[in-house]
Each structure stands twice: as structure tokens, then as C-alpha cells.
């Protein structure tokens, strides 16, 4: 079985508290040998870090989700850079813009995003970008910031328009697909995926949210990333194995702090 990676999950969420060991065990059995548990609040980083320290196959990020941007506008790039020195921190984020929910004022979301970009540029750790209903502003900010200096990044849980995907590619970004890709109504998303180069694609669960089609509406978990990989393979017209090989290689290239598996 070709190894898979869940590049984005939230193992600290209470949904998993009772059975984290079993969930990680099930991921391993499904061939998911690496997972990145993503930070949504710097104030909760301690818990995230402890999970990553507990399991060899789990890495983590540090950052503030756009929903929480209003509470963490005071976090500086220096603080993020300092926390990212931990050996298990392999990414910055998730940070970005969410204009669908608008849980935080847009100015706060943009300010926090730019702080995270500074940290990603300085550490050269990939920035995990959350972007929802904010294509125009996201393209503008990414272009402005890339001109200041390059930073590695990925558009996580991609569900935006084609223009943002293409702009992202042009700027050197990777694109990660979640279970949304497998939903019946996601025809347009699968069409966008089919046009993207195979060496820029990643898969993720965003668990506990967004379980792929057979489990839709249920709690998601890292083992299910295999299904998203399968649907992505179908969209691109390649085998599941080829897709797994590509998404894993892409992950290891982008998340360069993760040691190459033996
Ligand atoms: Zn997100
Ligand atoms: Zn997330």
C-alpha cells in the first residue's frame, strides 16, 4: 500500500478526546502514516504541541484561524517564529480570510494573515492558508506579499474559484483538497482539480469536519483521506497509487521540516 498523508486535521478538538489513540491507529491501518494537526489559536498551542509530542506520526503547526483573528491580533511574527522552533512544528497557520462566516472583522483577519506571512517568510515553513469567499482579497494580498519576499504556502481545503487556484500556482503555492472534492455537487471543483499540475496537489481531511462522501455528515477522521485521494485520482485520470505517490511526495517537498520516511 502506498503511503498517504493527512496534511490538515484538528486532533485537539474535543470530538477526538476519548479515542485519539484509536483514531491514529486506524489512520496507520489505512496507510495514512503522517498527519499534521493544525493550530487554530496560538493560545491553545500547548495542547497541539503535546499531541504532536505524543505520537511519532503526528506533526503540528502554529497559528491563528481567521475565525479567531479578532482575539489574537496582538500575536507577533516573532512569537510565531519562536514557537515554530519546536522540532514538531512544521508549518505556520492556519491563517487567512473567511468572508463566508465573518466571525472576525475583516481588517483583523488581514492583519493576522500578514503577520503569519511574515513568519512563514522568515522560517520558510509553509503557510497553511484558509480562504473562503475571499478570492479577490486573497489574490491581492498574496501578490503584494510575494513581491516583498517569497514564502512557501498552500491553499488548504480548496473550494474557491479557478482564478485563485491559477494565481496560487503562478505564485508557487500548492493546493490541498479535502472531502468537499468528493461531494456530488462538487463537479466544478473536480474540473478545477483536473487542470492542476500533479506535482502541486495535496490531500487532507480537515477532520473532524467535512467527511468525504460515504461518511458525509458524520465525524471525519484522518483514515478517510484515502477516499479523497481516490476521487482526486479519478479527476486527474491517474491510478490511486500514482496519486498517493504524488500527494505524499508533494507533502514532503512542501513540509520540508518533516523527516523523509525511511
Ligand atoms: Zn481552514
Ligand atoms: Zn482546519
Amino acid at each position: 500500500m502506498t503511503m498517504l498523508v493527512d496534511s490538515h486535521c484538528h486532533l485537539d478538538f474535543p470530538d477526538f478526546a476519548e479515542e485519539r489513540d484509536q483514531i491514529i491507529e486506524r489512520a496507520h491501518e489505512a496507510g495514512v502514516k503522517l498527519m499534521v494537526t493544525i493550530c487554530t489559536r496560538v493560545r491553545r498551542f500547548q495542547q497541539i504541541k503535546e499531541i504532536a509530542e505524543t505520537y511519532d506520526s503526528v506533526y503540528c503547526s502554529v497559528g491563528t484561524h481567521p475565525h479567531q483573528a479578532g482575539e489574537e491580533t496582538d500575536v507577533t511574527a516573532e512569537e510565531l517564529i519562536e514557537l515554530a522552533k519546536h522540532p514538531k512544528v512544521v508549518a505556520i497557520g492556519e491563517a487567512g480570510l473567511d468572508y463566508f462566516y465573518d466571525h472576525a472583522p475583516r481588517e483583523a483577519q488581514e492583519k493576522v494573515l500578514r503577520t503569519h506571512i511574515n513568519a512563514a517568510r522568515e522560517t520558510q515553513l509553509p503557510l497553511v492558508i484558509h480562504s473562503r469567499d475571499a478570492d479577490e482579497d486573497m489574490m491581492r494580498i498574496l501578490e503584494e506579499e510575494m513581491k516583498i519576499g517569497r514564502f512557501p504556502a498552500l491553499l488548504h481545503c480548496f473550494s474557491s474559484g479557478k482564478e485563485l487556484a491559477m494565481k496560487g500556482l503562478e505564485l508557487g503555492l500548492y493546493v490541498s483538497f479535502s472531502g468537499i472534492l468528493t461531494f456530488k455537487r462538487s463537479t466544478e471543483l473536480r474540473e478545477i482539480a483536473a487542470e492542476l499540475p500533479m506535482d502541486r496537489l495535496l490531500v487532507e481531511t480537515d477532520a473532524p469536519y467535512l467527511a468525504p462522501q460515504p461518511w458525509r455528515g458524520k465525524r471525519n477522521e484522518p483514515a478517510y483521506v484515502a477516499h479523497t485521494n481516490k476521487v482526486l485520482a479519478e479527476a486527474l485520470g491517474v491510478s490511486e497509487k500514482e496519486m498517493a505517490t504524488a500527494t505524499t511526495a508533494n507533502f514532503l517537498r512542501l513540509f520540508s521540516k518533516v523527516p523523509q520516511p525511511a
Side-chain angles (χ1 to χ4, degrees):
M1 185 168 24
T2 313
M3 168 186 160
L4 285 161
V5 180
D6 184 357
S7 65
H8 190 121
C9 55
H10 296 284
L11 297 176
D12 62 312
F13 283 21
D15 311 66
F16 295 128
E18 301 301 313
E19 46 169 332
R20 209 172 282 125
D21 290 355
Q22 293 91 311
I23 277 162
I24 287 164
E25 193 50 46
R26 284 202 291 274
H28 292 168
E29 282 164 17
V32 182
K33 304 294 188 192
L34 291 172
M35 289 151 258
V36 186
T37 190
I38 300 288
C39 187
T40 55
R41 286 180 178 89
V42 174
R43 283 183 185 84
R44 281 245 300 259
F45 176 67
Q46 188 61 29
Q47 288 162 262
I48 312 275
K49 189 183 79 171
E50 280 169 19
I51 294 169
E53 284 169 344
T54 305
Y55 304 97
D56 285 348
S57 58
V58 178
Y59 291 83
C60 69
S61 69
V62 61
T64 307
H65 192 286
H67 290 350
Q68 273 76 43
E71 306 159 28
E72 295 198 342
T73 45
D74 56 329
V75 174
T76 63
E78 289 67 32
E79 284 173 71
L80 294 170
I81 294 163
E82 193 52 39
L83 294 171
K85 285 180 182 161
H86 187 282
K88 289 228 108 174
V89 177
V90 297
I92 304 293
E94 57 183 295
L97 306 173
D98 195 316
Y99 294 174
F100 180 79
Y101 286 107
D102 272 327
H103 283 335
R106 292 184 178 185
E107 312 78 70
Q109 297 187 40
E110 178 166 342
K111 178 177 190 284
V112 168
L113 170 58
R114 290 189 193 264
T115 300
H116 283 68
I117 290 174
N118 286 336
R121 191 186 288 119
E122 179 63 28
T123 58
Q124 287 296 307
L125 294 175
L127 175 68
V128 179
I129 299 171
H130 173 110
S131 185
R132 189 154 182 208
D133 282 2
D135 295 22
E136 291 299 321
D137 279 0
M138 186 55 74
M139 286 191 275
R140 174 178 57 80
I141 293 167
L142 290 174
E143 276 211 294
E144 286 172 13
E145 292 286 344
M146 280 293 180
K147 280 193 192 124
I148 299 170
R150 310 282 301 177
F151 54 93
L154 79 159
L155 295 164
H156 115 83
C157 192
F158 188 81
S159 56
S160 304
K162 187 176 165 185
E163 209 188 332
L164 177 58
M166 294 306 164
K167 177 55 70 184
L169 290 177
E170 185 192 312
L171 296 172
L173 272 58
Y174 287 67
V175 179
S176 179
F177 288 99
S178 70
I180 294 177
L181 188 76
T182 70
F183 298 169
K184 272 201 187 67
R185 63 170 163 84
S186 298
T187 318
E188 201 185 320
L189 194 60
R190 286 186 290 273
E191 283 168 9
I192 294 173
E195 290 187 47
L196 304 181
M198 199 150 157
D199 63 355
R200 296 283 191 89
L201 303 178
L202 273 72
V203 285
E204 63 174 76
T205 57
D206 210 4
Y209 309 121
L210 299 169
Q213 193 59 57
W215 303 279
R216 189 168 180 191
K218 307 250 165 55
R219 185 189 69 182
N220 197 2
E221 60 177 78
Y224 299 169
V225 81
H227 196 74
T228 300
N229 184 77
K230 178 173 181 276
V231 172
L232 187 59
E234 286 163 9
L236 271 84
V238 300
S239 73
E240 257 185 271
K241 189 174 167 8
E242 282 174 286
M243 201 69 243
T245 304
T247 53
T248 296
N250 299 341
F251 170 83
L252 291 167
R253 194 181 320 114
L254 178 63
F255 289 72
S256 55
K257 196 172 158 186
V258 176
Q260 293 285 328

